[in-house]
């Protein structure tokens, strides 16, 4: 019987599984619960919907358990060129989506992931004396929850509008398009629609931040995280809102299409034939039924819709010397601001590994 469970088989769960295996945990000790066998499937669908061609996540955006060697190093070796490494030094290295998906597939085939996968969706995690019960699937000493984004976000005022489509759903482009949002998905859709010959209206509530990565690199370092963890609740909440504001990279390839006469900015949705909501995902644990039930049943602390996790991504009320409940992915932002990135998945996974090896 496995003693370790990963709830969620997306990229965060996949990174966690690979980290456990690299750290010496036998595959037979791990059970992965997921309704989908392909760990890249949800991400693949969203990337295809917005016609994404390159990653934003830089050289560290891979599924291997250690940051080094990253994708830039591997491409440099393959091409026998230092160009990817030099680009990575200034946050300008962005591997293609095809290369990233090939990387995931190679790890998927080689990792025995399929053998440890239980094709099921877990609805409830309940604390018991020996650890945690997952529905009727058994009890586990150590559980990592990586259920991903809880759903697509749509502005309330646009619900029911027949012109509406979310950017992460399959779609083409009308002759005139309103794109609601100001982050990377919105910027990608501006370029896509302009390239398709559409007139594009950008509808935004605030100006986007221009930066290479979705969270500034200092907050991906030990020193930056230490300063983040020292903040009190109010200050940390304020900082998270700043760090997670809509953003997309600087650069001529993003700016030039927007100089077109076919692009304009407005405050409100107009009479365009199509409205594309590039508004991302629902925010807050309450939109994830598993996490919402976990909070309600066990009285867990939350702050502004986020789980108040310990610095090591564990749930402090339910983690002790004998058991671990950890959270990876977007629900782990209280511990790691970029929790919904592959770097964030590795952060949670390595802390989880330490507890699985020593408890």
């Amino acid at each position: 019987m496995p003693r370790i469970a990963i709830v969620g088989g997306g990229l965060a769960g996949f990174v966690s599984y690979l980290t456990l295996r690299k750290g010496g945990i036998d595959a037979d000790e791990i059970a992965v619960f997921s309704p989908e066998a392909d760990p890249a499937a949800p991400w693949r669908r969203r990337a295809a919907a917005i016609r994404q061609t390159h990653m934003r996540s830089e050289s560290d955006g891979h599924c291997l358990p250690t940051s080094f060697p990253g994708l830039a190093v591997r491409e440099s070796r393959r091409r026998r060129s230092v160009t990817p490494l030099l680009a990575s030094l200034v946050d300008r290295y962005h591997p293609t989506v095809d290369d990233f998906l090939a990387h995931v597939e190679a790890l998927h085939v080689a990792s025995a992931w399929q053998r440890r996968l239980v094709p099921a969706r877990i609805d409830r995690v309940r604390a018991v004396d020996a650890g945690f019960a997952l529905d009727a699937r058994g009890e586990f000493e150590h559980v990592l929850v990586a259920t991903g984004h809880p759903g697509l976000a749509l502005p309330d005022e646009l619900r029911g509008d027949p012109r509406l489509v979310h950017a992460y759903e399959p779609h083409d482009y009308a002759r005139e398009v309103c794109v609601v949002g100001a982050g990377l998905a919105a910027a990608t859709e501006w370029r896509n629609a302009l390239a398709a010959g559409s007139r594009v209206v950008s509808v935004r509530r605030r100006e986007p931040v221009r930066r290479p990565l979705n969270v500034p690199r200092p907050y991906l370092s030990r020193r930056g995280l230490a300063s983040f963890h020292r903040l009190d609740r109010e200050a940390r909440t304020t900082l998270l809102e700043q760090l997670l504001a809509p953003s997309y990279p600087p650069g001529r390839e993003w700016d030039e299409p927007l100089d077109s006469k076919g692009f304009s900015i407005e405050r409100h949705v107009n009479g365009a034939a199509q409205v594309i909501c590039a508004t991302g995902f629902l925010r807050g644990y309450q939109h994830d039924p598993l996490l919402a039930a976990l909070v309600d049943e066990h009285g867990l602390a939350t702050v502004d819709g986020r789980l108040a996790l310990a610095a090591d991504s564990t749930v402090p009320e339910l983690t002790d010397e004998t058991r671990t409940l950890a959270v990876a992915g977007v629900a782990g932002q209280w511990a790691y601001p970029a929790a919904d990135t592959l770097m964030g998945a590795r952060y949670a996974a390595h802390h989880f590994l330490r507890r699985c090896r020593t408890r």
Side-chain angles (χ1 to χ4, degrees):
M1 177 70 181
R3 66 185 181 93
I4 300 168
I6 297 172
V7 179
L11 290 176
F14 187 53
V15 170
S16 301
Y17 170 79
L18 295 176
T19 301
L20 292 176
R21 296 289 292 116
K22 178 72 172 178
I25 305 296
D26 190 271
D28 291 338
E29 295 187 78
I30 307 168
V32 181
F33 294 91
S34 174
E36 289 196 274
D38 178 5
W43 189 91
R44 186 195 308 270
R45 288 192 292 267
R46 295 194 292 264
I50 62 171
R51 285 86 163 162
Q52 184 175 346
T53 60
H54 287 75
M55 305 289 289
R56 186 182 186 180
S57 53
E58 237 279 323
S59 183
D60 288 343
H62 57 75
C63 295
L64 293 164
T66 56
S67 294
F68 185 86
L71 296 179
V73 174
R74 294 167 186 275
E75 185 174 343
S76 288
R77 290 172 177 170
R78 187 173 67 249
R79 292 172 48 187
R80 297 184 180 180
S81 167
V82 298
T83 300
L85 288 174
L86 295 176
S88 181
L89 291 175
V90 292
D91 293 337
R92 298 284 292 175
Y93 173 74
H94 302 292
T96 69
V97 166
D98 288 343
D99 283 349
F100 171 72
L101 290 174
H103 154 76
V104 176
E105 182 59 22
L107 293 174
H108 182 198
V109 170
S111 66
W113 166 263
Q114 207 73 20
R115 188 163 61 89
R116 304 314 310 156
L117 193 70
V118 180
R121 184 185 304 277
I122 298 298
D123 295 317
R124 187 182 180 201
V125 175
R126 181 171 52 87
V128 295
D129 289 343
F132 302 93
L134 307 186
D135 291 344
R137 298 282 178 170
E139 296 180 3
F140 302 83
E141 295 173 26
H142 306 289
V143 175
L144 182 139
V145 177
T147 47
H149 291 281
L152 301 179
L154 294 171
D156 289 338
E157 64 271 19
L158 293 176
R159 292 184 183 275
D161 192 320
R163 303 172 298 164
L164 187 66
V165 65
H166 198 282
Y168 288 142
E169 297 172 329
H171 60 278
D172 290 316
Y173 301 98
R175 295 191 65 180
E176 186 173 21
V177 178
C178 273
V179 179
V180 181
L184 181 60
T188 303
E189 288 289 66
W190 302 334
R191 294 173 62 185
N192 290 343
L194 288 168
S198 304
R199 171 174 164 71
V200 177
V201 175
S202 169
V203 178
R204 57 183 75 170
R205 294 177 180 174
R206 52 181 169 174
E207 286 301 304
V209 179
R210 304 295 299 274
R211 57 182 174 225
L213 306 177
N214 59 344
V215 170
R217 190 170 287 280
Y219 290 98
L220 308 178
S221 68
R222 287 185 180 182
R223 180 178 295 181
L225 281 173
S227 66
F228 175 76
H229 291 146
R230 285 195 294 267
L231 297 174
D232 62 29
R233 291 192 170 199
E234 183 177 353
R236 196 185 301 193
T237 299
T238 300
L239 180 58
L240 277 172
E241 291 303 311
Q242 295 171 358
L243 296 179
L244 302 177
S247 69
Y248 66 96
R252 187 174 58 186
E253 67 272 28
W254 295 98
D255 295 335
E256 283 185 350
L258 308 189
D259 291 333
S260 160
K261 292 181 179 179
F263 181 81
S264 61
I265 298 172
E266 296 184 14
R267 294 285 297 174
H268 303 285
V269 171
N270 61 17
Q274 183 182 39
V275 178
I276 299 175
C277 278
T279 42
F281 303 95
L282 294 169
R283 292 191 177 188
Y285 75 87
Q286 64 272 22
H287 297 293
D288 184 315
L290 185 152
L291 294 178
L294 186 69
V295 169
D296 289 345
E297 291 178 19
H298 297 89
L300 304 185
T302 64
V303 184
D304 194 33
R306 297 184 175 94
L307 299 177
L309 301 177
D312 62 356
S313 299
T314 59
V315 177
E317 296 94 334
L318 299 177
T319 299
D320 57 30
E321 290 303 311
T322 63
R323 66 185 184 184
T324 307
L325 182 63
V327 177
V330 66
Q333 288 172 333
W334 193 251
Y336 191 91
D340 62 338
T341 66
L342 292 164
M343 289 176 281
R346 271 197 299 279
Y347 176 87
H350 277 281
H351 285 290
F352 186 63
L353 168 65
R354 292 188 191 105
R355 294 194 58 87
C356 291
R357 292 174 62 180
T358 58
R359 268 73 180 178

